[in-house]
Amino acid sequence: MPLKIAQLGQPVLREKAKPVRPERLASPEFQAFVDEMLTTMHAARGVGLAGPQVFASERIFTAVVLPTGNSSVRPEVFINPVLKDLSAETRPGWEGCLSFRELMVLVPRHQSLTIEYLDRKGEPRSLALSGYAARVVQHEFDHLEGILTIDRAESTRDIVKESEMNTVLETRGEFEDDEDEEDDEE
Ligand code: NI
């Protein structure tokens, strides 16, 4: 059954999440929680979901990433992630969020990065990501820090209603090509 998704205003979204204790990973309870997160992300048709968004202030998120050179889309589970090698180059792109579906926010993100993390089995992993996948990972990592897209907007004019996105893209088409998946929510 999908978990309840915390909506903007819930204090858990503003807390810095705590590391997951590695010894918990093997427990049936934790594995069931991971399954529930994936179910919740899919049910919400999201591309990413962080622990604090389901009222669990822990450093875990699920995200659909496209490893470089791999065309298959798969959700990955990121536990206690660390972001490294953030590119100096940043690009703006429109992002939605499952914790406030009504809004889209233009957010500058690093174009590429490396993420080091534990997978759901506790195996240390590392992924080099760029473009859209790097953006999704930065969005979800921010959730673990209590940071939301609205905090990253360079201007309040970069916060708009999702229902008006067609008009926004028509009138501010300069970023239209940057994100071909601007309707995805994280
Ligand atoms: Ni989000």
Side-chain angles (χ1 to χ4, degrees):
M1 213 175 102
L3 301 164
K4 190 176 179 198
I5 298 180
Q7 296 299 297
L8 181 61
Q10 289 290 336
V12 68
L13 292 175
R14 292 316 202 163
E15 291 167 13
K16 187 175 163 79
K18 293 189 172 62
V20 178
R21 284 181 291 114
E23 59 268 29
R24 277 188 63 215
L25 299 185
S27 73
E29 291 78 12
F30 186 83
Q31 291 297 318
F33 172 66
V34 171
D35 286 335
E36 285 177 325
M37 282 192 70
L38 290 168
T39 300
T40 304
M41 183 178 77
H42 291 138
R45 293 195 299 278
V47 294
L49 183 71
Q53 289 185 281
V54 289
F55 296 89
S57 191
E58 295 194 90
R59 301 187 80 79
I60 175 173
F61 64 77
T62 59
V64 176
V65 294
L66 289 162
T68 309
N70 184 341
S71 60
S72 66
V73 177
R74 64 187 174 92
E76 178 65 307
V77 179
F78 297 86
I79 296 164
N80 298 342
V82 177
L83 303 185
K84 292 187 162 180
D85 305 327
L86 296 159
S87 65
E89 184 193 357
T90 62
R91 283 191 197 168
W94 292 98
E95 297 181 13
C97 183
L98 294 174
S99 293
F100 41 99
R101 288 177 178 276
E102 298 85 352
L103 300 179
M104 294 293 287
V105 183
L106 190 65
V107 183
R109 298 286 189 192
H110 299 282
Q111 176 62 12
S112 63
L113 57 80
T114 299
I115 182 167
E116 295 180 350
Y117 61 102
L118 300 179
D119 69 13
R120 65 182 296 173
K121 293 176 182 165
E123 293 293 323
R125 293 193 180 276
S126 173
L127 275 179
L129 301 173
S130 63
Y132 184 72
R135 174 174 298 280
V136 172
V137 157
Q138 288 170 82
H139 178 116
E140 300 311 327
F141 188 89
D142 270 356
H143 274 301
L144 306 184
E145 298 292 304
I147 297 168
L148 302 172
T149 55
I150 47 180
D151 308 324
R152 298 270 188 206
E154 293 183 317
S155 159
T156 48
R157 295 180 184 218
D158 293 342
I159 304 172
V160 303
K161 284 285 290 285
E162 193 277 336
S163 57
E164 311 311 307
M165 270 311 285
N166 284 344
T167 302
V168 170
L169 291 176
E170 278 169 22
T171 54
R172 305 178 48 160
E174 67 262 42
F175 303 119
E176 198 167 9
D177 295 330
D178 190 63
E179 293 299 317
D180 54 2
E181 302 177 69
E182 70 274 350
D183 289 336
D184 287 341
E185 295 176 274
E186 300 155 32

